[in-house]
Amino acid sequence: LVVAILSLGLAALALPEFNKLADKTLLVSQLFQPSILISVMIMIAVISILAGSYPALVLSRFEPVKVLKGAFKNTQSGNWLRHSLIVFQFSIAVFLIAATFIIQQQLQYIQNKKLCYDRSHLLVMNIDQRIIDKIDLVKTEFKTNREVLGVSKAHSTPVKIVGGYSMSKSDSETEGIISVKASPIDEDYLKVNNLELLYGSDLNRQDILDANQAEESKVFYHYILNETGAKALGWKPEEAIGKKMFLGSHRPGEVKGVVKDFHFASLHNPIEPLVLFPGGWGSTLLVKLSGNNLSQTIADIGQKWQTLAPHRPFECRFLDEDFDKLYKSETRTGSVFSIFSFIAILLACLGLFGLSAYAAHQRVKEIGVRKVLGASIGNIVLLLSNNFIKLIGLAFILAAPLTWFIMNSWLQDFAYRITVSWVVFAAAGGAILLVTAFTLSIQAIKAAV
């Protein structure tokens, strides 16, 4: 009971950090519920029984005199158990270290991969129809600040476009229909997000007006496709300009421009066909900043917002935050693996420290004889460490293929991913070897001197 309460007390102290790591809102009071307390007590009791049962069963087979003389230490079963536990512990440690390296490499790859749009210093605000009705005034007022490089109204940011549509070369509801992602934009969207226009020209004010005619018969759309979208319709990107197409069956228009493929979803998914079209509606305002005097610039925008949109509180975020949310799960997994790697190494080294002390104690007479015969401290250290180093090598050999298989399976979830390199396993093995050598050397040098 005392151990259970102390354990829950330590858990309560660590709960705030655990909530941050796991993205949960657990309360301290929940830890001390009777069901939790009883479960912890049962778990501690079961572990204690299991830990003590094997030595008790083995020792019970020996005669009391032999047990008191330490006969168990020389049995094959005793050696096999100790060696197996060392291999098992360090196999887990190798797996966790290598997995942590791979996860961090993938996250770094995601952060550094060229997405073909610029998300730096891009402010995002949610807007409503009352703001859209005076969007030109909002843009003009914001751009009076020289640190504001551009303002765009859109339905989606380039980080995540999810609108599902269909496109085709004709208005037929059955002929050549292709599923596509699409989003309404204005004439400033490409410039604000620094999307690269490969062919054709950008949207202008007249294109916006053409798509929002009062008479339905006069409505006409000018489309911006990505490279994948042009190819999906059977055109080379440079040949798509001026070609007729439909978005759905009620939006006739033509291709006005083709942009370079950019990642408008997470790297879990391959780039899909995309259509950007002029639209009068939207829910997002994008404000491109120079990056100078950010706090002052945002404060100035906030003051203008209170005047232009007093009905809505000023709330903003940077586009980087939206991007980071796409990989929140992977970031959390990396943090968890890092913590458990540290715990696994610590526990393995504690066990190794105890076993090396035990081995040195059992061989103290042998060490004395070897020193009398001229053995150096280095010889003694090597003698006591040699067997353990072999076990660590066996643990590495067992853990490396399993780690490679599991992490390759995890990486398959990404359409764009790193290649698992042998360097990762070399680094994990080297880290384990250094920690092991340090742990063993403490007892070995102590015994040698």
Side-chain angles (χ1 to χ4, degrees):
L1 178 62
V2 172
V3 173
I5 293 174
L6 288 175
S7 300
L8 291 174
L10 292 174
L13 293 175
L15 191 60
E17 292 302 319
F18 175 82
N19 284 335
K20 291 180 184 178
L21 181 64
D23 196 23
K24 302 292 183 183
T25 54
L26 298 178
L27 302 175
V28 174
S29 58
Q30 293 176 283
L31 294 177
F32 292 92
Q33 293 178 357
S35 59
I36 299 294
L37 189 60
I38 293 172
S39 298
V40 172
M41 289 174 61
I42 292 174
M43 185 171 63
I44 292 173
V46 170
I47 292 173
S48 300
I49 292 171
L50 290 175
S53 61
Y54 181 80
L57 288 173
V58 173
L59 290 173
S60 66
R61 300 173 187 170
F62 286 83
E63 297 176 11
V65 174
K66 291 183 178 180
V67 173
L68 292 174
K69 288 182 178 180
F72 178 68
K73 71 184 181 190
N74 296 319
T75 63
Q76 284 295 112
S77 59
N79 289 330
W80 182 87
L81 176 63
R82 289 193 291 272
H83 294 169
S84 297
L85 289 175
I86 291 174
V87 171
F88 177 71
Q89 282 185 305
F90 277 92
S91 293
I92 293 175
V94 169
F95 167 75
L96 290 173
I97 292 174
T100 301
F101 285 164
I102 292 170
I103 292 171
Q104 295 301 331
Q105 282 185 347
Q106 177 64 17
L107 291 175
Q108 188 176 11
Y109 171 81
I110 290 170
Q111 291 292 334
N112 296 331
K113 182 170 174 54
K114 187 176 181 181
L115 302 173
C116 297
Y117 65 86
D118 185 7
R119 68 178 192 270
S120 62
H121 307 128
L122 193 55
L123 212 58
V124 182
M125 290 171 278
N126 295 327
I127 58 176
D128 53 28
Q129 189 58 45
R130 292 173 65 179
I131 299 173
I132 293 174
D133 291 339
K134 49 183 175 182
I135 191 65
D136 291 334
L137 176 61
V138 171
K139 287 184 176 183
T140 301
E141 286 297 315
F142 281 2
K143 286 192 285 189
T144 57
N145 189 316
R146 63 181 182 180
E147 305 299 340
V148 175
L149 305 181
V151 183
S152 173
K153 170 186 65 66
H155 184 269
S156 305
T157 70
V159 166
K160 191 174 184 180
I161 298 176
V162 296
Y165 291 76
S166 62
M167 69 175 181
S168 64
K169 296 180 182 179
S170 70
D171 59 351
S172 171
E173 296 184 0
T174 59
E175 182 183 345
I177 300 297
I178 300 171
S179 296
V180 64
K181 294 290 190 290
S183 179
I185 63 170
D186 65 6
E187 67 275 20
D188 296 308
Y189 189 82
L190 267 62
K191 293 186 287 289
V192 166
N193 294 290
N194 199 25
L195 296 176
E196 183 179 349
L197 187 66
L198 297 177
Y199 306 100
S201 55
D202 197 356
L203 299 180
N204 55 40
R205 172 61 64 175
Q206 187 58 49
D207 297 330
I208 305 296
L209 297 175
D210 290 343
N212 292 277
Q213 293 286 341
E215 295 183 35
E216 187 175 348
S217 60
K218 294 183 179 180
V219 172
F220 191 80
Y221 286 85
H222 294 87
Y223 295 113
I224 304 289
L225 302 181
N226 67 348
E227 295 174 277
T228 302
K231 294 173 183 176
L233 288 171
W235 303 318
K236 294 181 180 179
E238 62 271 20
E239 297 173 347
I241 307 304
K243 296 292 180 65
K244 304 298 181 182
M245 64 166 283
F246 284 80
L247 191 64
S249 59
H250 61 285
R251 292 189 182 92
E254 67 178 22
V255 180
K256 186 173 185 182
V258 176
V259 295
K260 184 178 179 63
D261 280 342
F262 65 97
H263 294 274
F264 56 88
S266 79
L267 296 185
H268 289 279
N269 308 309
I271 295 176
E272 300 179 71
L274 175 69
V275 179
L276 301 174
F277 61 95
W281 73 97
S283 58
T284 302
L285 191 68
L286 301 171
V287 182
K288 183 67 174 179
L289 307 180
S290 67
N292 301 322
N293 304 317
L294 281 176
S295 58
Q296 184 178 346
T297 303
I298 294 173
D300 181 60
I301 292 174
Q303 291 178 355
K304 289 183 169 63
W305 181 275
Q306 291 175 0
T307 303
L308 296 167
H311 67 285
R312 190 181 184 97
F314 176 67
E315 297 176 346
C316 66
R317 65 187 185 277
F318 283 102
L319 192 61
D320 279 332
E321 297 176 37
D322 291 350
F323 179 80
D324 291 338
K325 287 179 182 177
L326 294 178
Y327 309 101
K328 191 173 183 180
S329 175
E330 287 76 14
T331 302
R332 189 184 306 125
T333 300
S335 300
V336 170
F337 268 71
S338 298
I339 293 171
F340 277 95
S341 296
F342 174 77
I343 294 174
I345 293 173
L346 179 62
L347 293 177
C349 289
L350 286 174
L352 191 62
F353 186 84
L355 286 173
S356 61
Y358 174 79
H361 177 73
Q362 295 299 323
R363 303 178 71 173
V364 65
K365 293 181 180 179
E366 177 189 350
I367 293 171
V369 172
R370 288 180 179 273
K371 290 194 69 175
V372 169
L373 295 175
S376 65
I377 293 178
N379 296 138
I380 303 300
V381 170
L382 185 61
L383 172 70
L384 293 175
S385 304
N386 187 41
N387 191 39
F388 290 110
I389 296 297
K390 289 179 180 178
L391 294 175
I392 305 307
L394 178 60
F396 177 81
I397 292 172
L398 293 175
L402 181 63
T403 305
W404 182 88
F405 176 78
I406 293 175
M407 296 314 299
N408 257 314
S409 299
W410 179 76
L411 288 170
Q412 294 303 315
D413 194 39
F414 292 88
Y416 305 90
R417 54 186 177 269
I418 63 170
T419 301
V420 179
S421 170
W422 64 268
V423 176
V424 172
F425 297 100
I432 288 290
L433 193 59
L434 286 174
V435 173
T436 301
F438 177 75
T439 304
L440 291 173
S441 65
I442 295 174
Q443 287 295 340
I445 293 174
K446 181 180 177 182
V449 299

